Amino acid sequence: MLTYTPAVQHAQPPASERPWLLLLLAFVWLWPGVFAHDLWAPMEPQLLTVIEQWRNGGHWALPTLFDRPYWEAAPVYVWLGAASQAVFSPWLLDAYEAVRLVNVGLMAIGFCCIGGAARQFLGRRFGRTAVLVLIGCPGLLMPAHLMSTIPLLFTGAAMCFYGLSLAKARVIMASLMLGGGWVLLALSGSLLLSLSLMLLGACLPLSPHWRYRRYYLVLPTALLWAWPQMLLWPYALYQADTAAFFSWWQQQALMPFGGFGQIQFDFSLWYYLKNLLWFAFPAWPLAIWSASRLRLADSDWGILGMAWLALLGFLLAVSPLQFQDLLVILLPPLAVFGAAKLDALRRGAAAFLNWFGIMTFGLLALFLWLGFAAMNYGWPLKLAERAVYFSPYYQTDVDYFPILVACVFTPLWLWAITRQHVRGRQAVTNWAAGITLSWSLLLTLFLPWLDAAKSQRPVVQQMQKAFDADAVRRLQAGQECVSVEAGNHTARIAWQQYGWLTLDVDNPHCRYRLVRRSPQATTPAAGWQELWAGARPREKREWLALWQRLPAKPTEPAKTLQ
């Protein structure tokens, strides 16, 4: 009898389920950069000062920096930072760490929302994959771990995306999440993203995939509970300071495009496309792969993701502000798209991604260990010289707890990358583990070195040493003063945080004056002499200089005519 023998199918080995590894990786990713360093530019000094002034008697609806409205500080971030300080500082964390703890909470919520959206849209296990794709994006590292309003945008966008994913299954929860995302984005100080995502939600029923009864319940329910809360802060601002409210409404309410009084546009497409290449890697190539394997227009999540990227991508393309961290608003659909067909990634592509990640982060980890040895022990010599060049204020500081943490992370990464049968999911996991290792080594081994380079503390200490003992005594007794111009926020914040000296604002009677000048302008104004000048390492635009008033020349007696 003729029989047919099918070809032998070599099945792929089953993927092992280890959700605790993802939790561990996310936990390790969240914390480096939160502890044990001073305020780093560009946003941390200003945000912390706004929070402290709010706690010291400021109006809850009006964020101010030295008694002037400061719209770059999102109101809700100020509230959360002040609440975190009240709860955790000083008994558990210092004031800086307590505020950065807000970032940890916001990023954790954002990860959970995007993971939940991927699970709702794609099925079980895809939520974990989407979070791994996010952890692997280098662009999230800086805004997620330093004081910044960007985590608010990320979390608000993630909540909206999750709310839309729940619309078919859980009407109440979907309404709460969608409306909560709108409210969080509105309380960031700009109504633009909230209004844009409301417009997106209203336009989704143009696709037949979003024409169902439950979605028609979700959208108005979310609007009904979100609108009153979105209007609460502008109303309170109007009641607190009418002039500040109209200034915000006319110039800031639609940032980065301005306000309702003046709307500005520019062409920033190439800037954001260029930065997206590294900011959202490997999310964007994986998203392109999924789009090539699927008909995105045939699914509700495909329609949502394409509409999201088209609308918010257009806003970035015509934005007058070129700020790479704004790309976080594109990450929710990119992460879900990247997870959709990750398991079907071709073996060659998965092997290349895995090899590229191992080589990149392996060499980077080796460089970081060598750099640690160079800056603390002088070997290798050339690397030690470069370490001194970029951070000349650094003093050898070897803390064995960070070294122990780094010694634990490094072999764990080596263990993770030695797995066999690497496919798409394992390649992305290895990439996420590599970027987490590099960030952890940088913010443990290099933290004191970075702090000496990025903090204003060494600058303050160097300037205060320029006074002789008699001047110090007179300054501490209040017999002398140092004047600074009101707009020199950098100096005012730095001396408020790190110095014993209290600066007088625009006091013409002070004997000393702290001024800003270019590195080339070494000649002080007439009637003054320069005692000191300095700045953070490699600062090329603006230095601080301490001037002392010269004593007035005695008036010569008039000559008598003979």
Side-chain angles (χ1 to χ4, degrees):
M1 179 182 294
L2 296 176
T3 59
Y4 169 71
T5 303
V8 177
Q9 299 291 331
H10 298 283
Q12 294 283 357
S16 57
E17 295 290 334
R18 294 176 180 172
W20 63 270
L21 284 178
L22 171 62
L23 294 176
L24 178 62
L25 185 61
F27 180 83
V28 172
W29 185 92
L30 283 170
W31 292 103
V34 174
F35 303 109
H37 67 82
D38 290 333
L39 302 174
W40 291 355
M43 285 297 295
E44 287 203 324
Q46 288 82 0
L47 278 176
L48 184 91
T49 305
V50 171
I51 292 170
E52 289 183 342
Q53 293 181 352
W54 185 81
R55 294 189 68 193
N56 292 330
H59 194 280
W60 69 271
L62 180 59
T64 58
L65 181 65
F66 298 119
D67 301 322
R68 298 183 64 86
Y70 188 73
W71 305 119
E72 286 80 1
V76 67
Y77 193 89
V78 175
W79 305 337
L80 292 173
S84 182
Q85 282 187 341
V87 173
F88 297 106
S89 178
W91 69 275
L92 183 61
L93 304 172
D94 66 31
Y96 307 162
E97 295 166 351
V99 177
R100 296 188 193 110
L101 191 64
V102 174
N103 292 37
V104 175
L106 289 172
M107 295 304 300
I109 294 172
F111 283 166
C112 290
C113 287
I114 295 179
R119 182 184 177 95
Q120 289 292 326
F121 281 136
L122 305 175
R124 183 174 173 269
R125 296 176 65 237
F126 286 97
R128 281 173 260 163
T129 306
V131 174
L132 285 172
V133 172
L134 285 173
I135 292 175
C137 292
L140 272 180
L141 290 173
M142 290 292 289
H145 295 92
L146 302 179
M147 296 180 204
S148 167
T149 58
I150 297 301
L152 291 173
L153 306 184
F154 173 76
T155 304
M159 290 175 65
C160 292
F161 204 84
Y162 185 39
L164 292 170
S165 74
L166 292 170
K168 284 186 177 179
R170 303 169 66 185
V171 172
I172 299 300
M173 188 64 180
S175 302
L176 291 175
M177 295 301 299
L178 181 59
W182 291 339
V183 171
L184 189 62
L185 291 172
L187 292 178
S188 68
S190 171
L191 301 176
L192 178 70
L193 284 179
S194 294
L195 296 177
S196 300
L197 293 181
M198 287 180 181
L199 175 64
L200 175 67
C203 292
L204 283 178
L206 295 175
S207 168
H209 294 286
W210 286 91
R211 295 177 196 158
Y212 51 88
R213 182 178 301 176
R214 290 195 173 188
Y215 184 70
Y216 292 140
L217 292 175
V218 166
L219 198 60
T221 305
L223 285 170
L224 283 174
W225 89 265
W227 264 108
Q229 298 184 67
M230 292 173 59
L231 297 177
L232 179 62
W233 174 69
Y235 178 75
L237 178 61
Y238 177 80
Q239 294 294 319
D241 191 327
T242 304
F245 168 79
F246 282 110
S247 173
W248 170 79
W249 181 261
Q250 296 291 330
Q251 303 175 16
Q252 306 288 334
L254 296 177
M255 285 298 290
F257 294 95
F260 289 98
Q262 55 177 8
I263 300 179
Q264 303 173 348
F265 297 95
D266 202 348
F267 186 75
S268 301
L269 175 63
W270 303 125
Y271 172 83
Y272 284 108
L273 284 178
K274 175 184 66 177
N275 283 280
L276 187 68
L277 295 178
W278 68 268
F279 189 97
F281 189 89
W284 66 266
L286 294 176
I288 293 175
W289 165 253
S290 296
S292 69
R293 303 289 292 179
L294 296 167
R295 292 180 58 86
L296 296 179
D298 292 342
S299 61
D300 56 348
W301 61 271
I303 293 292
L304 171 61
M306 290 190 296
W308 185 294
L309 292 174
L311 176 60
L312 299 188
F314 172 76
L315 291 179
L316 292 177
V318 298
S319 169
L321 176 64
Q322 295 186 350
F323 184 42
Q324 63 192 23
D325 290 350
L326 292 178
L327 288 167
V328 297
I329 62 178
L330 302 182
L331 290 181
L334 287 178
V336 174
F337 283 179
K341 278 296 179 180
L342 184 58
D343 289 333
L345 189 65
R346 291 177 179 173
R347 184 177 297 178
F352 174 78
L353 177 62
N354 186 58
W355 171 84
F356 181 65
I358 290 174
M359 293 298 296
T360 300
F361 299 119
L363 291 174
L364 182 56
L366 177 61
F367 172 78
L368 291 172
W369 275 108
L370 286 175
F372 172 76
M375 66 188 181
N376 289 292
Y377 303 108
W379 183 90
L381 181 59
K382 291 294 184 182
L383 200 55
E385 293 174 352
R386 300 308 294 173
V388 173
Y389 174 78
F390 284 106
S391 187
Y393 295 133
Y394 173 71
Q395 301 292 328
T396 301
D397 183 7
V398 179
D399 187 347
Y400 290 99
F401 179 75
I403 296 175
L404 179 62
V405 172
C407 289
V408 171
F409 287 167
T410 304
L412 281 177
W413 176 76
L414 291 172
W415 168 77
I417 64 174
T418 55
R419 293 175 297 173
Q420 298 180 350
H421 308 295
V422 173
R423 291 174 291 170
R425 191 183 301 265
Q426 288 75 28
V428 169
T429 302
N430 289 348
W431 178 274
I435 206 167
T436 303
L437 169 71
S438 301
W439 180 252
S440 301
L441 292 180
L442 181 66
L443 271 299
T444 51
L445 300 178
F446 272 64
L447 186 59
W449 183 87
L450 288 171
D451 206 26
K454 297 180 70 65
S455 171
Q456 291 284 0
R457 186 187 298 272
V459 180
V460 173
Q461 293 173 345
Q462 290 288 329
M463 190 280 268
Q464 293 178 160
K465 291 178 181 178
F467 295 110
D468 57 33
D470 182 64
V472 170
R473 179 185 58 80
R474 296 175 64 85
L475 286 166
Q476 291 178 338
Q479 299 170 350
E480 297 285 1
C481 61
V482 179
S483 177
V484 64
E485 61 178 333
N488 192 348
H489 294 162
T490 299
R492 295 177 68 183
I493 294 172
W495 265 262
Q496 179 177 295
Q497 294 295 327
Y498 310 125
W500 54 262
L501 178 64
T502 301
L503 302 179
D504 283 26
V505 179
D506 290 331
N507 187 343
H509 305 293
C510 290
R511 183 183 178 188
Y512 302 97
R513 180 187 295 177
L514 189 63
V515 300
R516 292 177 288 190
R517 68 165 177 81
S518 69
Q520 293 77 28
T522 57
T523 304
W528 297 83
Q529 66 173 342
E530 187 169 283
L531 300 181
W532 168 90
R536 293 187 307 165
R538 315 279 70 80
E539 177 62 58
K540 298 180 180 179
R541 294 179 298 176
E542 184 178 274
W543 279 30
L544 293 172
L546 177 66
W547 290 355
Q548 181 182 6
R549 191 190 307 272
L550 292 173
K553 295 182 180 179
T555 305
E556 295 183 3
K559 295 182 179 180
T560 304
L561 296 176
Q562 299 293 332

